[in-house]
Amino acid sequence: MPWRSPLALVRDALRGQREREKDLRTLVSNLPYEDLDKRCQPNRFFPGNAIKTTKYTLLFFIPANLFEQFHRLANIYFVGLAILNFVPVVNAFQPEVALIPICVILALTALKDGWEDFRRYQSDRKLNNTPCFIYCRKEKDFVERRWKDVKVGDFVKVVSNEIVPADLLLLHASDPNGVCHIETANLDGETNLKQRRVVPGLCASTAEFEPESFNCMVACERPNNNLNHFKCYVEKPDKRKTGIGIESLLLRGCTLRNTDHAVGFVVYAGHETKSMLNNNGPRYKRSKLERKLNTDVMFCVILLFIMCLVGAVGHFIWLKALPSIPPYLVPDSHGHLDAPALSGFYMFFTMIILLQVVIPISLYVSIELVKVGQVFLITSDVDLYDEDSDSRIQCKALNITEDLGQIEYVFSDKTGTLTENKMVFRRCTVMGTEYSHSENAVRLAVLDEPDSDEEVIFNQRPGLRRTGWALDAEDADPGASAHRPGSRRRSKVAGGAQGDAAFSSPLEMEVIPDRKLLERIARTEYTSSNSRKTDPYLDFFLALAICNTVVVSTATAQRQRVSGHSRSSLSGNPLDTLSGLARKVGSLHRAVASWQPMSKRSRTFSERLVIEEDRYNVPKKSESGGLGATGARNPVAVSSDKLCYEAESPDEAALVYAARAYGFTLVARTPDSVTVRLPNGKELVFEVLDTLTFDSNRKRMSVLVRHPYTKELMLYTKGADYTIMELLGTPYAEQLNGNQKSIATSTQTHLDGYGKEGLRTLCFAKKVLSERMYNDWSTIRQRALADINNREELIRDTAVHLETNLTLLGATGIEDRLQESVPDTIVALREAGIQVWVLTGDKPETAVNIAYACRLLDEGDLVINMTSKNKLTCASVLDSTLEEVRKYGDSPQITDMVPTIALVIDGRTLAMSLESDLQQRFVELAQRCRSVLCCRVTPLQKSAVVKVIREKLKVMTLAVGDGANDVNMIQAADVGIGISGQEGMQAVMASDFAISRFKHLKKLLLVHGHWCYTRLASMIIYFFYKNVTYVNLLFWYQFFCGFSGTAMIDYWLLIFFNLFFTSVPPIMFGIMDRDVSAETLLGLPELYRTGQGSGEYKFSTFWVAMLDAFYQSLVCFFIPYLTYQDSDIDVFTFGTPLNTVSLFTILLHLSIEIKTWTFVHWVTILGSVAMYFIATLAYSATCITCNPPSNPYWILQNQMIDPMFYLVCIITTVVALLPRYTFHVLRNTLAPSPLVRARHLDRLDPTVREQWIKEWRGLRSAADGNLPGLSASPSPSPAPETSEDPSPPSPAPSDITGDDITLNVITES
């Protein structure tokens, strides 16, 4: 390599930095420059693909690690004292001896850091050496290289089931339609497939791609960590530009599926890829206890300063009081002594070295060890293991385990968090006529698990008639959103899960059609078979089948990790058989004719129907061909039984399965077409002209297709009801008669009924476009797609421009059920003094219904509904509401017969309430409410609510969610918990703890949270007590040695005392101790309140421990002092009883604090005593000149043959611990705390204990005025379902919601 001047190198470095910081970077192919020197290559300024996540190198590990450790002030403090000890005028110990403790701490930490970094190095090396295929101009083919060899501007080939090595612009795919599928599980945990399309117009879809013919310029945005957005354009030699988005980008870490191979152009490599930019490592959070600990450490610093100041002043006074110079004061080399003032100044630093243990050096290491042990116990709890998903709790933040015991507010998402996120098709309304699907409701009732106690509680609210425990999900996202993708192993419902395909459990797949709707579709077939005019009923089911982003594959797909779902028709269940018949029937007339009441079906008849199914589904020749796994057309139609749907959200899958149940089967999908098999067996191949994807602003998605028969341009749209209703034009007016004139009004009535039942609602609409209208719109659309600066906004504007004057087709109601034990968990959290908020995107009717089902709202609650459309009225509503609420007292926990208060607020009102001038009033109102339900909220509003409550009320907050839209809320809370559900793993990856079911939150907080907090708080207080007690022995001795900074205990034994003799028992105490059993903590949730607020680690607790430490140190010093006064023993002989007595006192003090004795406690305490005597005896016997001029030889041996030694140890220990022991006895006898009473219950027989717990809860609930979770009012009588009366009147959600400004206060009774 030729020599280059430093100036040229600096110039290149600056130019490279400017190129990398540009908002728009231009890239070209590397192939023309393959043989040139690196400095001649145009893409040389961008980093390569090799990654390095290690923090250290082998050469600079020690200095770099020490620099990292010295970021802790405590380490700097102790190193400074060790260095200070090398100064002769102030040293208190041998300088080498003083270095031992800090060196041990630094060495252990360095070993831990080095091991972690070595594991990162191994991972990097394995990843960088992964093979891949890069195009080589010399070889005229793709050759095998390593990931680290990939550079920006290269052409990389990825084959099926391989991981993408860098961010690639997709230029070619083996699929003739230019489509490939990727799985992003390594990035966000989503296992459903996503489509990616090749950049249009660059190469023929059928020909093999030739990288050398690529002579375009690629302009892309600066690298960022947004996985869902990408701005880029390709400029051809003729200066024509093609805009590109995320749909053409293969991200590093994704896996290619269902595609033989794909070729891409590298736009980002190495640390600039989106996956690496999202890899920020673990987030550091400081726990509340740690913040208090730092305050107490400062108090210890002040205490140390005072003690050293006393020593310095005392030494000055002592020197001034001497009548003559004593012989033990040795002058310096010049023969003169330092002045008393200067000696006192030096003594100040000597005392700092001597008393440094007041600030516990081992405390920080002990806390880390305790937290590791606590995390191990939490993750090993079998009660927090979910068998269905084969997952256990994950603790990703090791430093905030104790915060789980101090939570005061819980903010929860609903969809997938409180509910299963399994969308089950329940009802629909078409052209104003409602179809109740009562037969399907019976099937779902059979599939319900009867052993859940919560299902009895759900139906307690008077006036609410439910067809099932219907729960809504956030219908702000109609299903096309990327916020709710993913899959996980299904619950074992109706015989087990079907496999790993996304949203494919029997509960979700099987739908029994409504009889009336089947007959209506059959009549439609007769009337429209020879007509080229479409029918609205057919349009409705076509919209269900094609207005989505569902990926169709078959059981023979190349995706090895997913197997096709198995059939359940032969299970012998008539419901399953009937559902399969309706799904696969070849002639609807035969299906209707054979319909019989399910009670009359026999197993023999069910099996006969199964045989008939296969006869109906004889493969037929498709007019346009089917699609295989990779999109290739097949001459034979694929059986619907072989199809596998990969949906981005569960409601999309539910709608496709519902359409299939009525014979409208989605057979294949490509970027340019979608194939649907009709009930009569014919296949329609719609040309897809454009797909208007879902976004959070429009809250809808649309598909623009050309009908294969009528050649009409048809726009099918689905979305939230309130967005679709605003866009309606004239419905099928010419086909309406009599009572059907008000389709929109009837549909809205049905939608309101669905909301009362807690169903997820979506509206479907249609629009027919003229060719001229489409051409004009398409021109605007292409310009928007080619734009790079405002591409997303322009694309959204074009979608809004087209989605107008829609024709309403109908609406659907989809059920999402509560998870197991959700009501019980919420009731327990509220009894524990935790205020529970639910933040959801649902409309108020649905949200209130769910709130009653999950016991967020109870009968007897005073429910306040707030809705306003402008800020002025919002302020007025807040003022009037506050005035009303203040009448019930200053506390939300009001007694007697006054009901508890709950607040229901919508997103618009919430946004205004969170503004600075109204924020304080809203916080005060929310503080007085026991429960708060926020409806129609956005992800940003969720995080804003958490931040406001946490900062204004200074409370500990916890946020729990399962989707990407919950990430902001999870990160804003003190503790973030992700649920590994069906919405991917984004919430889990951003959380501090990950659980698989909401019910696990109960034991995680009430048991493990309580234990972690009480253990760690008690251990920290004990550590401060232990160190102050021991150090004060040295301090009291200074009054008898002229404050000279000498010690009466050997220096080695001083160091060993804290480093070995008394270090293990408090660590085991912090890991293993249990003040109350798990059964009692779960039975009495109010015990959790002891950790809230200041909890056990109070300001007073710390200072009481300090005073006790001073008292015990006085006793431990002066009883031996008075015993050996006027004797001729030497200083170390006097210090040995002091050291022994302090060991016994400190360990027995810990014994008093231990609540539950285990084998580990006995071993550690007795082992510490044994280690002390063995080490001290060995040291006294062997170490004669270890610490000259002192001589500790045979001191302890001589003491142990003296009866006075044992008498001193016994009397001193008893006198030192008697006040604390007496205080504990009197307090636990005369005024026992709830925890003490609970410990008494633990000693009882389990049956007797259960009875006592019930009586305790009964007394407490009687005092509170209600009995949440213990009594159940009679369930209302179920009324038969009819399509004419789908939603009977109820005093539930509709009574407390309004369209304008409402302040409704109702009481449920």
Side-chain angles (χ1 to χ4, degrees):
M1 182 176 179
W3 180 86
R4 300 189 66 195
S5 67
L7 185 61
L9 295 175
V10 172
R11 185 171 61 249
D12 276 0
L14 293 176
R15 183 182 173 190
Q17 184 177 0
R18 288 195 301 269
E19 289 290 331
R20 289 189 295 271
E21 291 179 352
K22 283 183 178 179
D23 292 333
L24 189 66
R25 56 174 60 175
T26 56
L27 311 173
V28 295
S29 169
N30 287 334
L31 295 181
Y33 312 94
E34 191 174 282
D35 299 327
L36 300 180
D37 188 66
K38 179 180 179 181
R39 65 174 181 267
C40 299
Q41 300 200 6
N43 303 319
R44 66 185 183 277
F45 300 115
F46 308 117
N49 202 43
I51 62 168
K52 179 180 178 293
T53 59
T54 57
K55 297 169 61 177
Y56 310 107
T57 62
L58 187 61
L59 183 61
F60 297 102
F61 171 74
I62 293 178
N65 184 259
L66 289 177
F67 178 77
E68 184 78 17
Q69 292 198 54
F70 287 154
H71 280 75
R72 287 185 176 180
L73 294 179
N75 288 341
I76 296 178
Y77 166 76
F78 287 109
V79 169
L81 291 184
I83 295 174
L84 187 64
N85 200 50
F86 278 88
V87 180
V89 294
V90 297
N91 69 338
F93 307 130
Q94 277 185 273
E96 299 81 5
V97 176
L99 280 174
I100 291 177
I102 187 61
C103 287
V104 170
I105 299 299
L106 294 177
L108 291 176
T109 307
L111 287 175
K112 177 182 71 73
D113 294 343
W115 173 248
E116 292 176 352
D117 208 55
F118 179 69
R119 294 178 63 185
R120 285 192 290 265
Y121 165 75
Q122 289 181 314
S123 176
D124 291 346
R125 185 176 62 177
K126 181 179 178 180
L127 204 60
N128 288 332
N129 287 285
T130 304
C132 65
F133 294 98
I134 306 175
Y135 189 84
C136 178
R137 192 177 63 173
K138 291 180 180 179
E139 303 290 338
K140 301 293 182 181
D141 199 1
F142 289 92
V143 296
E144 184 173 319
R145 295 284 188 269
R146 305 295 174 189
W147 277 26
K148 63 183 179 182
D149 301 322
V150 175
K151 301 186 296 294
V152 173
D154 283 347
F155 294 90
V156 176
K157 181 179 182 179
V158 185
V159 299
S160 179
N161 296 318
E162 282 194 355
I163 299 176
V164 180
D167 288 354
L168 307 179
L169 191 64
L170 183 60
L171 301 179
H172 174 76
S174 59
D175 189 284
N177 297 292
V179 171
C180 74
H181 297 98
I182 61 172
E183 180 186 273
T184 59
N186 291 337
L187 298 182
D188 52 22
E190 300 174 8
T191 54
N192 54 293
L193 298 184
K194 296 180 176 63
Q195 273 192 0
R196 291 294 183 263
R197 305 178 183 181
V198 301
V199 178
L202 293 185
C203 61
S205 58
T206 56
E208 189 68 25
F209 178 69
E210 294 292 340
E212 294 186 50
S213 64
F214 184 83
N215 53 2
C216 303
M217 186 269 292
V218 177
C220 59
E221 63 181 344
R222 186 177 175 181
N224 59 70
N225 61 355
N226 194 329
L227 297 174
N228 300 314
H229 296 281
F230 175 63
K231 295 180 181 180
C232 176
Y233 70 84
V234 174
E235 184 176 316
K236 300 179 181 179
D238 57 4
K239 302 301 181 183
R240 288 190 296 113
K241 297 179 180 179
T242 302
I244 302 164
I246 193 67
E247 69 278 356
S248 298
L249 186 68
L250 303 183
L251 299 177
R252 175 189 172 114
C254 297
T255 305
L256 192 68
R257 301 288 189 191
N258 292 17
T259 309
D260 288 334
H261 67 268
V263 178
F265 177 83
V266 180
V267 290
Y268 305 126
H271 289 279
E272 286 191 341
T273 57
K274 290 182 178 290
S275 62
M276 291 302 297
L277 292 174
N278 275 277
N279 187 15
N280 296 324
R283 295 178 297 113
Y284 181 79
K285 284 186 175 181
R286 292 177 59 199
S287 67
K288 183 178 179 181
L289 194 60
E290 184 180 348
R291 295 193 293 269
K292 287 185 177 181
L293 169 64
N294 292 337
T295 303
D296 291 339
V297 168
M298 292 306 300
F299 285 131
C300 288
V301 171
I302 295 173
L303 180 62
L304 176 62
F305 178 83
I306 294 174
M307 294 170 69
C308 294
L309 189 62
V310 169
V313 174
H315 188 63
F316 169 77
I317 296 174
W318 180 74
L319 288 177
K320 293 286 289 184
L322 288 175
S324 61
I325 299 176
Y328 51 79
L329 292 181
V330 182
D332 59 14
S333 58
H334 298 288
H336 66 270
L337 294 171
D338 294 329
L342 183 60
S343 297
F345 175 76
Y346 290 153
M347 188 53 60
F348 178 84
F349 295 99
T350 302
M351 295 293 291
I352 289 180
I353 298 173
L354 181 68
L355 307 177
Q356 59 179 293
V357 186
V358 170
I359 301 174
I361 183 174
S362 57
L363 175 59
Y364 295 97
V365 178
S366 300
I367 288 176
E368 290 187 7
L369 294 175
V370 166
K371 290 184 178 180
V372 170
Q374 290 177 347
V375 167
F376 174 77
L377 294 178
I378 293 175
T379 55
S380 302
D381 191 341
V382 293
D383 292 337
L384 302 181
Y385 168 78
D386 182 55
E387 184 179 0
D388 295 334
S389 60
D390 190 26
S391 61
R392 62 179 182 178
I393 185 173
Q394 303 174 39
C395 299
K396 308 176 71 176
L398 302 181
N399 52 330
I400 60 170
T401 54
E402 67 273 22
D403 280 348
L404 293 172
Q406 297 181 278
I407 301 301
E408 297 168 82
Y409 279 75
V410 167
F411 299 89
S412 174
D413 176 43
K414 183 191 67 63
T415 306
T417 303
L418 302 180
T419 63
E420 292 280 2
N421 204 15
K422 288 185 178 180
M423 305 302 174
V424 182
F425 184 85
R426 288 300 304 268
R427 310 167 79 104
C428 69
T429 172
V430 187
M431 299 303 295
T433 303
E434 208 273 339
Y435 299 96
S436 61
H437 291 73
S438 55
E439 294 86 358
N440 195 47
V442 173
R443 179 187 73 89
L444 295 173
V446 171
L447 293 180
D448 277 338
E449 297 180 358
D451 57 347
S452 175
D453 295 333
E454 287 70 34
E455 296 188 1
V456 181
I457 301 175
F458 290 176
N459 206 20
Q460 293 178 358
R461 187 161 174 252
L464 279 182
R465 182 172 65 88
R466 296 182 177 86
T467 58
W469 313 131
L471 300 172
D472 181 50
E474 299 181 8
D475 57 357
D477 179 352
S481 169
H483 290 314
R484 216 174 24 251
S487 67
R488 71 177 184 93
R489 293 180 59 182
R490 299 294 173 267
S491 299
K492 297 180 180 179
V493 180
Q498 286 287 322
D500 290 333
F503 318 118
S504 59
S505 70
L507 187 69
E508 298 164 290
M509 292 174 57
E510 307 293 342
V511 177
I512 297 181
D514 185 88
R515 180 178 180 180
K516 291 174 58 180
L517 188 53
L518 271 176
E519 294 173 346
R520 179 65 179 82
I521 296 175
R523 292 197 303 270
T524 300
E525 281 193 302
Y526 281 127
T527 58
S528 61
S529 58
N530 298 321
S531 173
R532 302 182 69 84
K533 190 173 183 180
T534 59
D535 182 87
Y537 278 81
L538 298 181
D539 279 333
F540 175 77
F541 284 101
L542 286 174
L544 260 63
I546 69 176
C547 190
N548 51 63
T549 57
V550 173
V551 176
V552 185
S553 59
T554 65
T556 59
Q558 300 177 31
R559 189 183 186 192
Q560 297 174 354
R561 63 171 294 280
V562 174
S563 60
H565 52 267
S566 60
R567 293 178 57 182
S568 59
S569 301
L570 299 177
S571 63
N573 189 339
L575 297 174
D576 293 339
T577 303
L578 184 57
S579 176
L581 174 62
R583 189 180 68 252
K584 304 174 189 176
V585 66
S587 171
L588 285 173
H589 310 299
R590 181 177 297 179
V592 174
S594 64
W595 195 281
Q596 298 183 20
M598 282 178 286
S599 60
K600 298 181 181 180
R601 301 241 174 187
S602 65
R603 175 167 183 158
T604 304
F605 184 59
S606 301
E607 294 172 350
R608 182 170 59 84
L609 290 180
V610 174
I611 299 173
E612 290 180 357
E613 288 182 44
D614 296 330
R615 187 175 75 241
Y616 294 158
N617 286 295
V618 177
K620 299 181 181 181
K621 183 82 172 182
S622 172
E623 296 179 11
S624 59
L627 277 179
T630 61
R633 295 183 179 272
N634 298 326
V636 180
V638 180
S639 169
S640 62
D641 207 31
K642 300 293 185 181
L643 295 175
C644 182
Y645 296 136
E646 298 278 355
E648 289 191 356
S649 63
D651 47 1
E652 278 199 338
L655 296 176
V656 173
Y657 289 130
R660 189 174 72 172
Y662 283 93
F664 294 82
T665 304
L666 177 63
V667 175
R669 181 186 299 277
T670 73
D672 302 321
S673 67
V674 58
T675 305
V676 178
R677 183 182 299 134
L678 298 180
N680 58 14
K682 294 182 180 180
E683 290 188 357
L684 297 182
V685 181
F686 292 87
E687 178 187 358
V688 178
L689 302 176
D690 212 329
T691 300
L692 312 181
T693 57
F694 172 86
D695 64 70
S696 57
N697 294 311
R698 291 167 41 245
K699 293 183 173 59
R700 57 185 179 273
M701 76 161 292
S702 300
V703 175
L704 181 60
V705 298
R706 188 185 299 274
H707 198 282
Y709 291 161
T710 65
K711 303 302 180 183
E712 289 180 319
L713 300 177
M714 308 175 71
L715 180 75
Y716 291 108
T717 302
K718 74 172 179 181
D721 52 0
Y722 64 95
T723 61
I724 299 297
M725 290 297 183
E726 295 174 353
L727 304 174
L728 294 182
T730 304
Y732 292 90
E734 68 278 3
Q735 299 183 17
L736 301 181
N737 55 42
N739 296 330
Q740 294 180 327
K741 292 285 175 108
S742 305
I743 293 180
T745 303
S746 300
T747 303
Q748 186 60 58
T749 302
H750 299 150
L751 287 170
D752 294 339
Y754 295 167
K756 293 175 185 177
E757 295 182 18
L759 299 183
R760 178 189 189 86
T761 57
L762 289 175
C763 282
F764 291 81
K766 167 190 171 182
K767 179 179 181 180
V768 179
L769 281 72
S770 65
E771 290 288 346
R772 179 179 178 182
M773 183 186 302
Y774 168 70
N775 291 333
D776 294 342
W777 177 83
S778 180
T779 303
I780 302 174
R781 180 77 169 180
Q782 293 304 317
R783 284 201 299 265
L785 290 172
D787 191 276
I788 188 171
N789 295 321
N790 301 310
R791 187 172 186 266
E792 296 175 8
E793 293 79 3
L794 293 175
I795 290 176
R796 184 168 59 247
D797 292 342
T798 59
V800 172
H801 177 73
L802 190 63
E803 295 167 333
T804 56
N805 297 321
L806 302 179
T807 299
L808 182 64
L809 296 174
T812 58
I814 300 176
E815 176 187 11
D816 187 12
R817 302 184 172 190
L818 278 182
Q819 293 183 18
E820 179 187 359
S821 302
V822 166
D824 176 60
T825 301
I826 290 181
V827 168
L829 294 179
R830 289 195 335 209
E831 291 180 2
I834 300 174
Q835 293 201 33
V836 182
W837 291 38
V838 172
L839 313 175
T840 176
D842 299 337
K843 55 186 178 182
E845 295 88 350
T846 303
V848 171
N849 180 280
I850 295 162
Y852 277 101
C854 69
R855 301 298 299 274
L856 182 73
L857 302 179
D858 270 333
E859 301 114 10
D861 282 356
L862 194 69
V863 182
I864 299 175
N865 180 70
M866 288 183 57
T867 304
S868 58
K869 291 189 175 181
N870 59 71
K871 190 173 180 180
L872 183 62
T873 53
C874 180
S876 176
V877 166
L878 275 175
D879 291 336
S880 56
T881 306
L882 269 176
E883 182 180 355
E884 182 73 20
V885 168
R886 285 171 182 150
K887 296 178 182 178
Y888 297 102
D890 295 330
S891 173
Q893 300 298 328
I894 41 188
T895 56
D896 299 329
M897 298 305 295
V898 180
T900 53
I901 301 173
L903 174 66
V904 179
I905 185 170
D906 67 347
R908 181 186 300 177
T909 310
L910 179 64
M912 292 182 286
S913 301
L914 292 178
E915 294 183 11
S916 56
D917 53 338
L918 300 181
Q919 194 176 100
Q920 189 59 43
R921 281 176 273 183
F922 170 73
V923 170
E924 182 184 353
L925 174 62
Q927 189 178 13
R928 295 173 180 271
C929 297
R930 186 187 64 173
S931 304
V932 178
L933 176 63
C934 302
C935 317
R936 297 290 192 201
V937 293
T938 64
L940 290 179
Q941 284 180 320
K942 290 182 179 182
S943 62
V945 168
V946 175
K947 290 177 182 177
V948 166
I949 296 299
R950 179 168 59 88
E951 294 171 0
K952 293 292 183 181
L953 298 181
K954 306 297 181 186
V955 292
M956 292 293 294
T957 59
L958 178 146
V960 54
D962 73 318
N965 56 341
D966 303 317
V967 169
N968 291 335
M969 175 180 70
I970 287 173
Q971 293 180 337
D974 294 291
V975 179
I977 293 185
I979 292 185
S980 52
Q982 301 196 60
E983 296 195 22
M985 300 289 285
Q986 290 122 313
V988 169
M989 291 159 58
S991 65
D992 304 309
F993 301 88
I995 57 179
S996 54
R997 310 289 287 177
F998 183 82
K999 67 178 182 180
H1000 294 161
L1001 195 64
K1002 178 180 177 181
K1003 188 171 187 182
L1004 180 63
L1005 295 185
L1006 303 187
V1007 178
H1008 290 290
H1010 174 81
W1011 282 348
C1012 289
Y1013 172 71
T1014 54
R1015 290 166 175 170
L1016 203 59
S1018 300
M1019 190 205 75
I1020 292 174
I1021 292 294
Y1022 175 77
F1023 248 99
F1024 282 119
Y1025 148 80
K1026 174 175 74 76
N1027 284 27
V1028 171
T1029 300
Y1030 194 65
V1031 164
N1032 275 350
L1033 297 178
L1034 303 176
F1035 180 69
W1036 303 134
Y1037 182 68
Q1038 302 308 306
F1039 288 89
F1040 300 93
C1041 68
F1043 298 94
S1044 58
T1046 57
M1048 68 290 192
I1049 304 171
D1050 187 87
Y1051 298 153
W1052 286 98
L1053 296 180
L1054 277 174
I1055 293 172
F1056 288 166
F1057 191 89
N1058 278 312
L1059 207 58
F1060 300 114
F1061 301 154
T1062 59
S1063 59
V1064 179
I1067 293 176
M1068 291 298 105
F1069 172 63
I1071 297 175
M1072 305 291 295
D1073 193 43
R1074 292 189 305 174
D1075 56 349
V1076 183
S1077 67
E1079 295 78 11
T1080 305
L1081 288 172
L1082 292 174
L1084 298 171
E1086 57 267 28
L1087 296 176
Y1088 183 83
R1089 298 171 188 251
T1090 57
Q1092 293 174 331
S1094 57
E1096 293 190 1
Y1097 193 90
K1098 302 176 184 176
F1099 180 81
S1100 58
T1101 308
F1102 171 78
W1103 285 111
V1104 167
M1106 293 298 100
L1107 292 176
D1108 195 20
F1110 271 86
Y1111 164 77
Q1112 292 186 20
S1113 64
L1114 284 169
V1115 172
C1116 291
F1117 180 84
F1118 281 101
I1119 289 182
Y1121 172 77
L1122 296 174
T1123 302
Y1124 294 105
Q1125 191 177 17
D1126 298 329
S1127 66
D1128 58 351
I1129 62 172
D1130 62 86
V1131 63
F1132 283 169
T1133 305
F1134 169 66
T1136 300
L1138 290 178
N1139 209 27
T1140 308
V1141 164
S1142 62
L1143 177 76
F1144 286 144
T1145 303
I1146 288 172
L1147 291 181
L1148 288 176
H1149 179 107
L1150 179 63
S1151 302
I1152 295 175
E1153 298 299 322
I1154 292 176
K1155 309 302 187 302
T1156 303
W1157 280 86
T1158 64
F1159 177 76
V1160 176
H1161 290 103
W1162 284 106
V1163 168
T1164 54
I1165 290 182
L1166 295 179
S1168 295
V1169 175
M1171 181 185 293
Y1172 167 76
F1173 280 101
I1174 293 173
T1176 306
L1177 288 172
Y1179 177 77
S1180 300
T1182 60
C1183 194
I1184 302 175
T1185 59
C1186 294
N1187 191 15
S1190 61
N1191 183 6
Y1193 181 72
W1194 219 251
I1195 289 180
L1196 183 59
Q1197 286 84 342
N1198 291 329
Q1199 289 278 355
M1200 293 182 68
I1201 61 176
D1202 182 9
M1204 185 65 69
F1205 171 77
Y1206 298 100
L1207 191 60
V1208 167
C1209 290
I1210 294 173
I1211 294 176
T1212 305
T1213 304
V1214 170
V1215 174
L1217 294 176
L1218 188 60
R1220 169 165 287 268
Y1221 184 77
T1222 305
F1223 172 75
H1224 275 272
V1225 170
L1226 293 177
R1227 184 186 63 179
N1228 296 342
T1229 303
L1230 301 179
S1233 66
L1235 291 176
V1236 173
R1237 295 179 180 177
R1239 283 199 293 273
H1240 292 163
L1241 293 180
D1242 285 338
R1243 303 189 185 102
L1244 301 177
D1245 183 80
T1247 56
V1248 178
R1249 179 178 60 198
E1250 188 68 25
Q1251 184 64 31
W1252 273 97
I1253 289 177
K1254 289 181 180 179
E1255 293 185 11
W1256 186 333
R1257 290 169 62 93
L1259 291 174
R1260 178 197 52 76
S1261 299
D1264 288 346
N1266 59 10
L1267 243 159
L1270 294 179
S1271 62
S1273 58
S1275 302
S1277 302
E1281 281 187 271
T1282 60
S1283 58
E1284 292 78 18
D1285 185 22
S1287 52
S1290 165
S1294 59
D1295 292 338
I1296 60 171
T1297 57
D1299 296 329
D1300 195 3
I1301 303 167
T1302 60
L1303 176 58
N1304 301 329
V1305 181
I1306 67 169
T1307 302
E1308 292 294 326
S1309 59

